[in-house]
Amino acid sequence: MQKILVAGGAGFIGSHLIDALLKQGNIVICADKLIMGDKNIEHLKGNAMFKFYNTELANQENVDKIFEENNIEIVYHLAANSDIQKGGEEPSIDFTDTLMTTRTILEGMRKANVKKLFFASTSAVYGELLDVELTETTGGLMPVSYYGGAKLASEALISSYVSMCDMAALIFRFPNVIGPRLTHGAVFDFIKKLRNNPQELEILGNGTQCKPYIYVLDLVEAILKLMNSLNPGESIYNIGVTSAGTTVTKIAEIVVEELGLKDVVFRYTGGDRGWKGDVPRFTYNISKVLSTGWSPQYSSDEAVRQTVRDAIQLGM
């Protein structure tokens, strides 16, 4: 049994991670400012192994208080702006929610002498390397969104703290993560739009945008597996699926099929991307994480289909 801090634990990915950590018998301290509400952790209320702080993690005093009041042994840092489009309109969101939370958490760890960290990074750190198979050592990283920039800056900060404070850090660069409790993204948006108008669907861009989608429970399994064998220093992994990615049009077709709709007209807004800062396609090399013995259960298309089924089952 360990005392674990999950920063951003009320979010989509964080809440699934907390479920898994509690199932292992750990005490989990969740810290979140509930931008998306507390629906994802409602089922944990009353659990004696679960403690919640509704707090602004970009504030150092707030973070220090959490470390002072709890004998934390491991930190899972998933606190960040999760809406890239919104961050594109307001750069301060990514600076505050993504970069500053990393800075305060690292400082909190340094002061409390906590040595083990998991950090949720992103494929957005690579920028727009469209025709390059991306590996963990791919150079020339030039993010094209504020979100990607804040995550890459966070990785740099982590690297320096790992060196200066003798920490051990595991960094996963996520692709698109989907599954139960999804709160945004193409799958979420398409279901919402088709519930409102089952005859027509607006699709941002030209529909050919293609990215890998990983099922959240596959991701959580990988996080726990690699954290259980965490090595000193910093370890970075691309995390994804073994299949090809899924196009936006294919997502739309799967959603239409699973909702039982017919003759839906797709209306494309045009252009090769959904919004400024969006990367229309990328290809991950995940041989490094596969070499650990982990592999995803779902392909990208299967993850999309299962996510739509999950949403329908949950009454979305």
Side-chain angles (χ1 to χ4, degrees):
M1 181 178 71
Q2 295 176 304
K3 277 197 170 183
I4 298 172
L5 170 63
V6 180
F12 160 55
I13 300 171
S15 64
H16 284 286
L17 177 61
I18 288 174
D19 286 344
L21 290 168
L22 288 170
K23 194 173 290 185
Q24 289 183 341
N26 298 295
I27 295 172
V28 177
I29 296 93
C30 172
D32 201 296
K33 65 178 180 178
L34 300 181
I35 289 177
M36 306 301 293
D38 66 353
K39 184 178 180 181
N40 291 337
I41 56 171
E42 270 185 330
H43 64 288
L44 299 175
K45 291 176 181 176
N47 187 326
M49 306 290 279
F50 176 77
K51 185 176 181 180
F52 178 68
Y53 286 82
N54 184 351
T55 190
E56 171 56 79
L57 287 168
N59 180 290
Q60 190 67 58
E61 289 183 7
N62 295 347
V63 172
D64 290 347
K65 179 183 177 184
I66 295 170
F67 280 99
E68 288 164 6
E69 294 180 353
N70 303 276
N71 187 24
I72 292 166
E73 298 166 79
I74 303 175
V75 175
Y76 289 82
H77 175 21
L78 296 94
N81 166 41
S82 61
D83 190 334
I84 299 177
Q85 283 181 267
K86 186 177 180 182
E89 298 165 1
E90 300 178 54
S92 62
I93 295 175
D94 279 303
F95 179 77
T96 301
D97 294 352
T98 304
L99 179 57
M100 288 306 295
T101 57
T102 302
R103 195 259 180 189
T104 58
I105 287 167
L106 287 168
E107 265 297 279
M109 291 179 66
R110 181 184 68 82
K111 293 174 185 176
N113 200 33
V114 178
K115 299 296 187 183
K116 295 181 179 180
L117 171 70
F118 170 82
F119 177 64
S121 191
T122 171
S123 59
V125 301
Y126 290 104
E128 200 161 319
L129 300 173
L130 301 184
D131 299 308
V132 176
E133 186 179 53
L134 303 173
T135 71
E136 293 83 357
T137 56
T138 297
L141 305 188
M142 299 175 67
V144 297
S145 65
Y146 303 128
Y147 172 76
K151 284 289 192 180
L152 185 57
S154 293
E155 286 193 18
L157 266 183
I158 291 168
S159 178
S160 64
Y161 273 79
V162 165
S163 175
M164 296 298 293
C165 304
D166 298 318
M167 294 179 181
L170 173 65
I171 296 174
F172 272 11
R173 290 172 175 167
F174 295 175
N176 292 60
V177 185
I178 54 177
R181 307 175 194 157
L182 192 65
T183 57
H184 64 279
V187 177
F188 180 86
D189 291 343
F190 288 171
I191 295 172
K192 286 287 191 184
K193 287 179 178 179
L194 287 168
R195 292 295 194 200
N196 291 330
N197 181 358
Q199 279 80 45
E200 182 177 300
L201 177 64
E202 180 190 61
I203 298 175
L204 301 182
N206 57 21
T208 64
Q209 306 99 296
C210 185
K211 302 174 188 178
Y213 289 79
I214 185 171
Y215 196 65
V216 66
L217 299 183
D218 281 340
L219 173 63
V220 167
E221 182 185 29
I223 293 171
L224 296 182
K225 177 180 173 60
L226 270 70
M227 282 299 286
N228 284 338
S229 57
L230 184 63
N231 294 315
E234 181 184 48
S235 302
I236 300 177
Y237 290 85
N238 289 341
I239 185 77
V241 291
T242 53
S243 65
T246 306
T247 67
V248 175
T249 294
K250 180 65 175 178
I251 293 172
E253 291 170 350
I254 291 171
V255 173
V256 166
E257 183 181 334
E258 290 297 326
L259 290 179
L261 302 176
K262 302 286 185 183
D263 302 320
V264 177
V265 176
F266 292 169
R267 305 277 187 201
Y268 297 95
T269 61
D272 67 345
R273 67 198 64 209
W275 58 88
K276 192 171 180 63
D278 181 29
V279 177
R281 67 180 185 276
F282 68 90
T283 304
Y284 254 179
N285 181 311
I286 63 166
S287 58
K288 183 178 178 181
V289 73
L290 292 176
S291 72
T292 68
W294 171 86
S295 62
Q297 177 182 343
Y298 293 91
S299 69
S300 184
D301 285 2
E302 288 169 348
V304 171
R305 190 173 297 279
Q306 185 58 48
T307 297
V308 180
R309 290 174 179 173
D310 293 334
I312 293 170
Q313 186 177 355
L314 292 171
M316 182 177 167

Short mmCIF file of all heavy atoms in Angstrom, two decimals, residues 5 18 24 27 36-37 40 53 78 80 84 92 104 133 135 140 147 181 191 220 225 234 243 251 296 301 308:
data_model
loop_
_atom_site.label_atom_id
_atom_site.label_comp_id
_atom_site.label_asym_id
_atom_site.label_seq_id
_atom_site.Cartn_x
_atom_site.Cartn_y
_atom_site.Cartn_z
N LEU A 5 -0.42 10.67 -4.92
CA LEU A 5 -1.11 11.88 -5.37
C LEU A 5 -1.40 11.78 -6.85
O LEU A 5 -0.48 11.53 -7.65
CB LEU A 5 -0.25 13.12 -5.09
CG LEU A 5 -0.74 14.44 -5.72
CD1 LEU A 5 -2.10 14.85 -5.15
CD2 LEU A 5 0.29 15.55 -5.52
N ILE A 18 -7.15 6.46 -11.09
CA ILE A 18 -7.47 6.35 -9.66
C ILE A 18 -8.21 5.05 -9.36
O ILE A 18 -7.92 4.36 -8.38
CB ILE A 18 -8.29 7.57 -9.19
CG1 ILE A 18 -7.39 8.81 -9.15
CG2 ILE A 18 -8.91 7.31 -7.82
CD1 ILE A 18 -8.13 10.10 -8.84
N GLN A 24 -5.70 -1.66 -6.49
CA GLN A 24 -4.44 -2.27 -6.05
C GLN A 24 -4.24 -2.16 -4.54
O GLN A 24 -3.28 -2.70 -4.00
CB GLN A 24 -3.25 -1.62 -6.76
CG GLN A 24 -3.14 -1.94 -8.24
CD GLN A 24 -1.91 -1.31 -8.87
OE1 GLN A 24 -1.32 -0.37 -8.33
NE2 GLN A 24 -1.50 -1.82 -10.02
N ILE A 27 -3.68 4.14 -1.11
CA ILE A 27 -4.39 5.33 -0.66
C ILE A 27 -4.16 6.41 -1.70
O ILE A 27 -3.01 6.71 -2.05
CB ILE A 27 -3.88 5.81 0.72
CG1 ILE A 27 -4.18 4.76 1.79
CG2 ILE A 27 -4.50 7.14 1.09
CD1 ILE A 27 -3.55 5.05 3.13
N MET A 36 -14.23 20.37 -15.23
CA MET A 36 -15.25 19.53 -15.87
C MET A 36 -16.23 18.96 -14.85
O MET A 36 -17.00 18.07 -15.18
CB MET A 36 -14.57 18.38 -16.64
CG MET A 36 -13.52 18.80 -17.63
SD MET A 36 -14.13 19.92 -18.92
CE MET A 36 -15.24 18.84 -19.79
N GLY A 37 -16.19 19.45 -13.62
CA GLY A 37 -17.08 18.94 -12.59
C GLY A 37 -16.51 17.70 -11.91
O GLY A 37 -15.39 17.29 -12.18
N ASN A 40 -16.81 12.35 -12.71
CA ASN A 40 -15.94 11.19 -12.90
C ASN A 40 -15.50 10.54 -11.60
O ASN A 40 -15.05 9.39 -11.61
CB ASN A 40 -14.70 11.59 -13.70
CG ASN A 40 -15.01 11.93 -15.14
OD1 ASN A 40 -16.01 11.49 -15.68
ND2 ASN A 40 -14.15 12.73 -15.77
N TYR A 53 -8.96 16.94 -2.82
CA TYR A 53 -8.71 18.37 -2.65
C TYR A 53 -9.25 19.11 -3.88
O TYR A 53 -8.79 18.86 -5.00
CB TYR A 53 -7.22 18.67 -2.55
CG TYR A 53 -6.55 18.29 -1.25
CD1 TYR A 53 -6.14 16.98 -1.02
CD2 TYR A 53 -6.31 19.24 -0.26
CE1 TYR A 53 -5.51 16.62 0.16
CE2 TYR A 53 -5.68 18.89 0.93
CZ TYR A 53 -5.28 17.58 1.14
OH TYR A 53 -4.66 17.24 2.31
N LEU A 78 -1.34 14.48 -14.05
CA LEU A 78 -2.18 14.57 -15.24
C LEU A 78 -2.92 15.90 -15.32
O LEU A 78 -3.81 16.08 -16.16
CB LEU A 78 -3.19 13.42 -15.29
CG LEU A 78 -2.61 12.02 -15.42
CD1 LEU A 78 -2.43 11.36 -14.06
CD2 LEU A 78 -3.46 11.13 -16.31
N ALA A 80 -3.76 19.38 -16.44
CA ALA A 80 -3.45 20.15 -17.65
C ALA A 80 -4.74 20.65 -18.27
O ALA A 80 -5.83 20.16 -17.95
CB ALA A 80 -2.71 19.27 -18.68
N ILE A 84 -7.64 21.59 -26.30
CA ILE A 84 -6.63 22.28 -27.11
C ILE A 84 -7.25 23.44 -27.89
O ILE A 84 -6.63 24.50 -28.03
CB ILE A 84 -5.93 21.29 -28.06
CG1 ILE A 84 -5.21 20.20 -27.26
CG2 ILE A 84 -4.92 22.02 -28.95
CD1 ILE A 84 -4.55 19.14 -28.09
N SER A 92 -3.34 31.78 -22.05
CA SER A 92 -3.09 31.76 -20.60
C SER A 92 -3.56 30.45 -19.97
O SER A 92 -3.04 30.04 -18.93
CB SER A 92 -3.77 32.94 -19.91
OG SER A 92 -5.18 32.88 -20.08
N THR A 104 4.78 23.82 -10.04
CA THR A 104 4.43 23.76 -8.62
C THR A 104 4.53 22.34 -8.07
O THR A 104 4.96 22.13 -6.94
CB THR A 104 3.00 24.30 -8.37
OG1 THR A 104 2.06 23.54 -9.14
CG2 THR A 104 2.90 25.77 -8.74
N GLU A 133 8.08 8.99 -39.11
CA GLU A 133 7.68 8.06 -38.07
C GLU A 133 8.32 8.52 -36.76
O GLU A 133 9.54 8.52 -36.62
CB GLU A 133 8.10 6.62 -38.40
CG GLU A 133 7.55 5.63 -37.39
CD GLU A 133 7.94 4.19 -37.71
OE1 GLU A 133 9.15 3.94 -37.89
OE2 GLU A 133 7.05 3.33 -37.77
N THR A 135 9.72 8.72 -33.17
CA THR A 135 10.27 7.92 -32.08
C THR A 135 10.58 8.85 -30.91
O THR A 135 10.55 10.08 -31.05
CB THR A 135 11.56 7.20 -32.49
OG1 THR A 135 12.61 8.16 -32.63
CG2 THR A 135 11.39 6.45 -33.80
N GLY A 140 14.25 18.04 -33.47
CA GLY A 140 13.60 19.17 -34.14
C GLY A 140 12.18 19.38 -33.67
O GLY A 140 11.29 19.69 -34.48
N TYR A 147 -0.70 24.28 -26.24
CA TYR A 147 -0.76 23.06 -25.43
C TYR A 147 0.52 22.25 -25.60
O TYR A 147 1.16 21.84 -24.62
CB TYR A 147 -1.98 22.25 -25.85
CG TYR A 147 -2.08 20.88 -25.23
CD1 TYR A 147 -2.48 20.72 -23.91
CD2 TYR A 147 -1.80 19.73 -25.97
CE1 TYR A 147 -2.60 19.46 -23.34
CE2 TYR A 147 -1.91 18.47 -25.42
CZ TYR A 147 -2.31 18.34 -24.10
OH TYR A 147 -2.42 17.09 -23.56
N ARG A 181 -16.43 7.97 -20.02
CA ARG A 181 -16.28 9.27 -19.36
C ARG A 181 -15.60 10.32 -20.24
O ARG A 181 -15.17 11.37 -19.76
CB ARG A 181 -15.51 9.16 -18.03
CG ARG A 181 -16.05 8.13 -17.06
CD ARG A 181 -15.16 8.02 -15.84
NE ARG A 181 -15.46 6.82 -15.06
CZ ARG A 181 -14.60 6.24 -14.24
NH1 ARG A 181 -13.40 6.74 -14.04
NH2 ARG A 181 -14.96 5.15 -13.57
N ILE A 191 -21.21 12.42 -31.43
CA ILE A 191 -22.39 11.86 -30.75
C ILE A 191 -23.34 12.98 -30.35
O ILE A 191 -24.56 12.90 -30.58
CB ILE A 191 -21.97 11.03 -29.52
CG1 ILE A 191 -21.17 9.80 -29.94
CG2 ILE A 191 -23.21 10.60 -28.72
CD1 ILE A 191 -20.57 9.02 -28.78
N VAL A 220 -4.05 2.98 -19.10
CA VAL A 220 -3.86 2.84 -17.65
C VAL A 220 -3.04 1.60 -17.33
O VAL A 220 -2.14 1.63 -16.47
CB VAL A 220 -5.22 2.80 -16.93
CG1 VAL A 220 -5.06 2.34 -15.48
CG2 VAL A 220 -5.89 4.17 -16.98
N LYS A 225 2.01 -0.68 -15.32
CA LYS A 225 3.06 -1.67 -15.58
C LYS A 225 4.44 -1.04 -15.53
O LYS A 225 5.35 -1.55 -14.88
CB LYS A 225 2.83 -2.33 -16.95
CG LYS A 225 3.93 -3.33 -17.34
CD LYS A 225 3.66 -3.95 -18.70
CE LYS A 225 4.82 -4.81 -19.15
NZ LYS A 225 5.13 -5.93 -18.24
N GLU A 234 15.16 9.58 -16.04
CA GLU A 234 13.97 9.93 -16.83
C GLU A 234 13.77 8.93 -17.96
O GLU A 234 14.71 8.61 -18.69
CB GLU A 234 14.16 11.34 -17.41
CG GLU A 234 13.00 11.84 -18.23
CD GLU A 234 13.30 13.20 -18.85
OE1 GLU A 234 14.39 13.36 -19.43
OE2 GLU A 234 12.46 14.10 -18.75
N SER A 243 -2.04 -0.68 -34.55
CA SER A 243 -2.72 -0.55 -35.84
C SER A 243 -2.47 0.83 -36.44
O SER A 243 -1.85 1.69 -35.83
CB SER A 243 -4.23 -0.73 -35.65
OG SER A 243 -4.73 0.35 -34.86
N ILE A 251 -14.34 7.86 -38.11
CA ILE A 251 -14.97 8.04 -36.79
C ILE A 251 -16.45 8.37 -36.98
O ILE A 251 -17.31 7.79 -36.31
CB ILE A 251 -14.28 9.17 -36.00
CG1 ILE A 251 -12.85 8.77 -35.64
CG2 ILE A 251 -15.07 9.49 -34.73
CD1 ILE A 251 -12.04 9.89 -35.03
N PRO A 296 -1.49 -3.08 -26.52
CA PRO A 296 -2.88 -2.67 -26.36
C PRO A 296 -3.85 -3.76 -26.81
O PRO A 296 -3.58 -4.51 -27.74
CB PRO A 296 -2.98 -1.45 -27.28
CG PRO A 296 -1.95 -1.69 -28.34
CD PRO A 296 -0.83 -2.40 -27.65
N ASP A 301 -9.40 1.75 -34.57
CA ASP A 301 -10.82 1.68 -34.95
C ASP A 301 -11.65 0.99 -33.87
O ASP A 301 -12.77 1.41 -33.58
CB ASP A 301 -10.98 0.91 -36.27
CG ASP A 301 -10.55 1.72 -37.49
OD1 ASP A 301 -10.09 2.87 -37.32
OD2 ASP A 301 -10.69 1.20 -38.62
N VAL A 308 -17.83 4.60 -28.47
CA VAL A 308 -19.21 4.97 -28.82
C VAL A 308 -20.18 4.08 -28.07
O VAL A 308 -21.18 4.56 -27.52
CB VAL A 308 -19.44 4.84 -30.34
CG1 VAL A 308 -20.89 5.23 -30.69
CG2 VAL A 308 -18.48 5.75 -31.12
#
